[in-house]
Amino acid sequence: RLDSSCIGQYPPPPGDSEILGVEVSGTVASLSPLADEKSGLKEGDRVMALIGGGGYAEYCVAPYQCIMPVPNEIDFEQAAGIPEVYITAYQALVWNGYLQDGDSILIHA
């Protein structure tokens, strides 16, 4: 996606930032009133999210429904790879591929 985005062949969804980056991690800087009421998040929480664009910016905005807590055991660099890479792989293998305990898979890179 990065290569296509850089040359303008993979534009962000309408209304999302033109700045590259869709996976983010960091700390909550502020919350909207709705997010404050519904999410259980608070300023300073360690979080990760998948957004439509703008992840390379110093600050970004994410819908509170797309934000997940970052476990203390992992750093922000690892956390930033979870929302799209890990969850996409999980969905493909478990939900779509019906991978179960005891199954084996071969992954080529």
Side-chain angles (χ1 to χ4, degrees), residues 61-102:
V61 176
Y64 73 88
Q65 302 94 326
C66 297
I67 298 173
M68 298 163 274
V70 173
N72 290 330
E73 298 79 25
I74 64 173
D75 60 31
F76 286 128
E77 289 80 11
Q78 293 169 318
I82 292 174
E84 187 165 52
V85 176
Y86 174 80
I87 292 175
T88 299
Y90 180 89
Q91 286 178 316
L93 293 170
V94 177
W95 295 358
N96 299 339
Y98 306 106
L99 185 70
Q100 298 178 24
D101 286 343

Side-chain angles (χ1 to χ4, degrees), residues 9 17-18 22 30 33-34 38 41 46 53 58 63 67 74 83 89 92 103 107:
Q9 294 180 343
S17 175
E18 294 288 327
V22 296
S30 66
L34 181 62
K38 302 270 186 183
L41 296 167
R46 293 169 30 96
E58 185 175 356
I67 298 173
I74 64 173
D103 288 351
I107 298 174

Side-chain angles (χ1 to χ4, degrees), residues 8-71:
Q9 294 180 343
Y10 195 92
D16 281 325
S17 175
E18 294 288 327
I19 297 171
L20 297 175
V22 296
E23 294 175 300
V24 298
S25 64
T27 57
V28 174
S30 66
L31 295 162
S32 71
L34 181 62
D36 189 36
E37 175 188 337
K38 302 270 186 183
S39 70
L41 296 167
K42 62 184 183 311
E43 289 184 16
D45 282 354
R46 293 169 30 96
V47 295
M48 57 188 158
L50 182 62
I51 59 175
Y56 289 4
E58 185 175 356
Y59 292 92
C60 69
V61 176
Y64 73 88
Q65 302 94 326
C66 297
I67 298 173
M68 298 163 274
V70 173

